[in-house]
Amino acid sequence: MSVVLELKNISIQINKKEIVTNVNLVVEECSITGLVGASGSGKTTLFRGILNELSSSAKRTGEILLLGNSIHKKFDPRIQSVNQEASLQFNPKFSLREILSEPLEIQKYAIEKIHSELERILGEISISIEKLDQNIMQFSGGEQQRIQIGRALLTNPKILLMDEPVTGLDRLMLRKVKEILLNQKNKFSILIITHDLEFASEVCDTIYIMKEGKILENGETKMIFKNSKNEYTKELLKSLDLNTIKQKNN
C-alpha cells in the first residue's frame, strides 16, 4: 500500500516545553490508524500540529508529508478533521442543509448535484433527509458527530483526522460511528486520536501507543493487543476485557 500521511521526527514545543518528541508515524492508503494514549500524552497537540493549528507560542520541527510532499499550507483541503466537541464546529444559527451544503458550494457544485450529494451523505451517516431544514442545535451530540463526519466526507479528502471522535457517545451512537468509519475506509485514510483502547481495537488496522509525547510501540493492532512488548501498553490493557478484545482481533 502507498503512504498517504507520514510524520518524520515531529517535535513540538509550547512555551519552550517539549510536548511531543521525535514522533514518526505512517498512515497507509485506505486504512485506519490509531494513536492511543492517556490524557496529557501529547496526542491532541500532535493532532493540531498536523493541521497547522498550533498557537503562536508553539514551535514544530520535523517534516509532515502528504502523498510524499511536504505540507506547508495553513489549510490543506485534502486533510479534513473531526473534533471531539462537534457542536463547537457549527454555526448554531445554521440548518443541517446549510451546514452540509457549504463545502459543496465552495467546490461550485450545481444545485441539482448538491441535492443528490446531500441525499447520498445523509444515507451514509444514517440521518433522515426530512431533517435537512432543522437547526443544527436540534440534533443530539451523537447525531452532530455523524454530521461533522459527513461534512468532512463531502470534501472528498485524502485523509480524515479524528480527535476523540466517540467520547461521550452512548452505545447506539458509538456503533453507528464505527459503522460509518469501517464503511468509508476503502475510500480514503483515517487517523484516529483516542484514549479508548477498546474502540481502537475494533476499527484500527495499525496502532501507535503514546506516552509523555513519545511513541512507545506501534504495529498491527491485533499483534499489539495479543502480544504487546511494552510495559506501559500492558498496563493500559489491564483495564480492559482482554478476552473479548482478543476474540474480536482473531
Side-chain angles (χ1 to χ4, degrees):
M1 284 189 180
S2 61
V3 174
V4 174
L5 181 72
E6 183 174 7
L7 311 186
K8 289 186 174 182
N9 299 316
I10 295 297
S11 294
I12 300 173
Q13 292 184 348
I14 298 178
N15 293 322
K16 298 185 178 180
K17 179 182 178 180
E18 192 153 270
I19 308 298
V20 173
T21 304
N22 292 328
V23 167
N24 292 281
L25 183 149
V26 169
V27 181
E28 294 185 335
E29 182 181 19
C30 298
S31 68
I32 301 179
T33 299
L35 177 62
V36 177
S39 297
S41 61
K43 307 185 305 298
T44 296
T45 297
L46 183 61
F47 175 84
R48 291 172 180 160
I50 297 171
L51 294 170
N52 287 314
E53 292 180 351
L54 294 168
S55 66
S56 58
S57 63
K59 178 183 178 182
R60 190 192 77 192
T61 58
E63 190 174 20
I64 299 177
L65 303 174
L66 180 64
L67 300 174
N69 297 311
S70 292
I71 298 174
H72 299 295
K73 296 178 182 178
K74 178 69 175 175
F75 169 73
D76 192 314
R78 296 174 298 174
I79 303 177
Q80 292 293 317
S81 63
V82 170
N83 295 276
Q84 180 177 345
E85 294 292 337
S87 62
L88 299 180
Q89 311 307 314
F90 303 130
N91 185 326
K93 296 180 181 179
F94 277 16
S95 66
L96 175 58
R97 185 189 299 276
E98 291 171 309
I99 294 288
L100 294 180
S101 295
E102 188 174 33
L104 299 174
E105 291 169 353
I106 290 172
Q107 297 174 76
K108 301 188 184 305
Y109 277 45
I111 293 175
E112 296 80 6
K113 179 65 173 175
I114 288 176
H115 183 76
S116 64
E117 282 293 284
L118 293 186
E119 189 171 7
R120 176 185 67 82
I121 206 67
L122 288 173
E124 292 185 6
I125 62 175
S126 301
I127 290 179
S128 171
I129 195 169
E130 295 175 356
K131 296 184 177 182
L132 261 177
D133 292 310
Q134 285 188 13
N135 180 274
I136 191 63
M137 294 298 122
Q138 292 179 265
F139 293 89
S140 70
E143 288 174 323
Q144 288 182 355
Q145 189 66 295
R146 282 148 51 204
I147 291 165
Q148 188 183 187
I149 294 170
R151 184 175 65 175
L153 300 185
L154 286 169
T155 68
N156 298 311
K158 293 297 183 183
I159 184 166
L160 184 63
L161 271 56
M162 310 185 78
D163 186 19
E164 301 289 2
V166 297
T167 298
L169 299 188
D170 61 34
R171 288 186 177 276
L172 176 60
M173 291 301 176
L174 176 60
R175 179 174 59 81
K176 288 186 176 182
V177 169
K178 288 177 187 174
E179 289 173 354
I180 292 169
L181 298 184
L182 293 173
N183 288 338
Q184 295 293 330
K185 66 178 278 188
N186 292 326
K187 301 177 183 178
F188 51 86
S189 303
I190 303 171
L191 174 61
I192 298 175
I193 288 91
T194 182
H195 69 274
D196 190 331
L197 275 168
E198 184 173 357
F199 172 66
S201 77
E202 294 172 346
V203 300
C204 296
D205 302 296
T206 58
I207 195 169
Y208 289 74
I209 304 296
M210 192 174 197
K211 180 185 180 184
E212 296 176 351
K214 298 178 181 178
I215 300 298
L216 301 184
E217 185 175 20
N218 68 280
E220 291 185 17
T221 302
K222 62 183 179 180
M223 295 308 297
I224 294 291
F225 278 81
K226 286 180 179 178
N227 189 30
S228 171
K229 298 187 177 358
N230 183 271
E231 290 303 317
Y232 176 72
T233 306
K234 291 177 182 178
E235 286 297 316
L236 290 177
L237 291 171
K238 282 182 180 179
S239 64
L240 302 175
D241 183 347
L242 292 185
N243 291 326
T244 299
I245 289 178
K246 286 178 179 178
Q247 288 172 10
K248 290 176 181 175
N249 284 286
N250 282 333

